[in-house]
Amino acid sequence: MYIKSTPEKELTMKELEHCLQASQPSVAGLAPCMEKFPIIREMQKEKEVVWINPGLTEFRADVENCGLTIKDIEDAEQRLLRFAPFIMKCFPETGPQNGLIESELEFIPSMGRTLNQKYGDILQGGLLLKKDSHLAIAGSVKARGGIYEVLKHTESLALAHGLLKEGESYEKLASEEMRKFFSRYTIQVGSTGNLGMSIGIMSAAIGYQVIVHMSSDAKKWKKDLLRSHHVQVLEYETDYVEAVKKGRELSDQNPESYFVDDENSKDLFLGYSVAAKRLQRQIDRLGIRVDDAHPLFVYIPCGIGGAPGGISFGLKQIYKDNVHCFFVEPTQAPCMMLGMVTGLNDGISVQDIGLSGLTQADGLAVPRPSSFVGKVMRPLLSGAFTVQDEHLYEYMKMLMNTEKIFLEPSACAGFQGAAFLGQKEETLRYLRERHLADKMENAAHIVWATGGSMVPEDVRSEYLNH
Ligand SMILES: *Cc1c(COP(=O)(O)O)cnc(C)c1O
């Protein structure tokens, strides 16, 4: 059923690296690469593009995925269960879910009809929204990865200092005495906003000193909110990569400081991947079938790649060839697409092809992808889309008008996938080649909504009046 994958072009990694080095700082030197990968020319023009991953293969559980397996996802899931009593104690709003931080999956038929009216019956099957925009504590998808990594670090510290014994309830960690212990330690992170919020709020609740290094993209209200939680916010005039670099340097100088490294962290990735196990239960509960005759399509906004990568990695372990994962990035910051198209992963930045990396989609404003997500996703990702900022606002308003759900602009990127799958030449070919075209009536499409519930009222109206 699967097309045997062949490397996209014969250009070797050495040649590519060579022409990248030769090109700096001038973009013109990249010309030979552009010929090898014509899509890069389109990306340079800030066009909305579709990329089908030629590296996608039939799913094999035993493939070497940077050492990650389903066992690691299960381990992460168990860790979150151990922490549930603690989370419930610190954040009573998680009580109804027994201390699990989980969002709803719901049908959005009215949005589906409106997309079909606008684009001409392009969407067949059911359209659903996964509302990570409404996750407790941080109001974004970062409540999965960011919080998981802080908890994992906390568990290690507590175990190493004999503060937790086998079988004891983690609720104990919420005591004043424990807070005092954790206040000797510092957590630091670089962020465009949402990662800082999730790590800042959780770390402060545990008792840590917290420093968040914010890039220039970060919105003011996110910094204000963090400061209200006694988080130290350092602001940089530079982009995300620079903010991370500064944060890492500062953290390295302090032996009691732990740096959450979004560019390389496998813990963040695994925290995100737990979403897949939880989603499976929700899909079953809604009576949605996923099998050979019922394909599942998932569209996830992508920044550095950890969140969409972790979620997709988890979903592929569960649904294998019956799930089709697509990432969506801003036309100004398509770092994962660029890294995967060229095979250079974090060896290339969007600035290398002359893009600014500047976008209203602050959660996705990342110029260079994670160092390992591209490699893990090589055989698993179906493809990727880019979306213009203006289009994000359009989806945002459309969702508000049809379903009365508010998302921040970054979080609307997934709709580009749902809207484009059934109308673009590349994706239509993908469906034909995989014998999916005649099964689309039975398909389910999940748009992953990644943030928005904590956006203050005045900023919301500003967005909606854009
Ligand atoms: C961070 C973020 C993403 C993407 O996550 P990455 O791990 O950076 O790829 C998507 N949407 C929103 C709202 C985010 O904050």
Side-chain angles (χ1 to χ4, degrees), residues 274-319:
V274 174
K277 305 270 292 191
R278 309 235 184 111
L279 187 78
Q280 182 183 26
R281 275 168 234 140
Q282 293 180 316
I283 285 178
D284 292 347
R285 222 174 297 137
L286 287 175
I288 297 166
R289 284 169 63 185
V290 182
D291 55 32
D292 278 351
H294 299 77
L296 173 64
F297 294 84
V298 185
Y299 313 99
I300 319 176
C302 177
I304 203 157
I311 294 166
S312 302
F313 176 71
L315 287 172
K316 290 300 281 190
Q317 308 299 314
I318 295 170
Y319 294 114

Side-chain angles (χ1 to χ4, degrees), residues 140-142 194 262 272 301-308 363-364 366 408 410-411 450-451:
S140 82
V141 68
K142 303 293 192 310
N194 286 340
D262 200 14
Y272 291 121
C302 177
I304 203 157
L364 315 178
V366 180
E408 60 188 79
S410 295
T450 45

Side-chain angles (χ1 to χ4, degrees), residues 235-282:
E235 301 177 55
Y236 298 88
E237 290 297 315
T238 54
D239 71 23
Y240 180 66
V241 168
E242 279 299 307
V244 169
K245 189 163 160 248
K246 290 277 157 43
R248 194 189 288 120
E249 277 167 19
L250 264 181
S251 186
D252 286 348
Q253 292 164 16
N254 176 357
E256 309 290 4
S257 173
Y258 179 81
F259 186 69
V260 178
D261 193 341
D262 200 14
E263 290 176 335
N264 303 297
S265 172
K266 300 225 164 115
D267 286 332
L268 273 174
F269 186 85
L270 289 171
Y272 291 121
S273 73
V274 174
K277 305 270 292 191
R278 309 235 184 111
L279 187 78
Q280 182 183 26
R281 275 168 234 140
Q282 293 180 316

Side-chain angles (χ1 to χ4, degrees), residues 139-308:
S140 82
V141 68
K142 303 293 192 310
R144 297 185 183 281
I147 287 177
Y148 173 74
E149 179 152 353
V150 171
L151 295 178
K152 180 159 188 244
H153 177 63
T154 301
E155 186 182 54
S156 308
L157 276 179
L159 288 172
H161 289 81
L163 302 175
L164 268 179
K165 287 183 198 72
E166 187 89 22
E168 247 181 338
S169 168
Y170 282 27
E171 192 180 334
K172 184 180 168 192
L173 296 175
S175 70
E176 261 320 301
E177 188 194 335
M178 293 289 181
R179 284 185 58 82
K180 223 169 137 200
F181 167 78
F182 289 114
S183 71
R184 295 184 352 224
Y185 298 91
T186 304
I187 305 272
Q188 306 199 42
V189 64
S191 176
T192 63
N194 286 340
L195 186 63
M197 288 215 296
S198 107
I199 286 179
I201 294 171
M202 180 48 87
S203 303
I206 294 169
Y208 292 110
Q209 312 281 328
V210 200
I211 307 176
V212 176
H213 303 264
M214 288 282 203
S215 67
S216 58
D217 314 279
K219 306 282 182 215
K220 180 173 181 299
W221 70 266
K222 294 183 181 176
K223 301 176 201 167
D224 293 346
L225 188 130
L226 276 176
R227 289 185 173 122
S228 78
H229 284 260
H230 307 289
V231 169
Q232 191 183 345
V233 178
L234 299 183
E235 301 177 55
Y236 298 88
E237 290 297 315
T238 54
D239 71 23
Y240 180 66
V241 168
E242 279 299 307
V244 169
K245 189 163 160 248
K246 290 277 157 43
R248 194 189 288 120
E249 277 167 19
L250 264 181
S251 186
D252 286 348
Q253 292 164 16
N254 176 357
E256 309 290 4
S257 173
Y258 179 81
F259 186 69
V260 178
D261 193 341
D262 200 14
E263 290 176 335
N264 303 297
S265 172
K266 300 225 164 115
D267 286 332
L268 273 174
F269 186 85
L270 289 171
Y272 291 121
S273 73
V274 174
K277 305 270 292 191
R278 309 235 184 111
L279 187 78
Q280 182 183 26
R281 275 168 234 140
Q282 293 180 316
I283 285 178
D284 292 347
R285 222 174 297 137
L286 287 175
I288 297 166
R289 284 169 63 185
V290 182
D291 55 32
D292 278 351
H294 299 77
L296 173 64
F297 294 84
V298 185
Y299 313 99
I300 319 176
C302 177
I304 203 157

Side-chain angles (χ1 to χ4, degrees), residues 52 56 324 382 426-434:
I52 297 299
L56 173 68
H324 306 269
S382 292
E426 297 88 338
T427 37
L428 290 172
R429 192 183 319 125
Y430 174 93
L431 297 179
R432 274 198 315 275
E433 287 179 349
R434 285 165 180 77

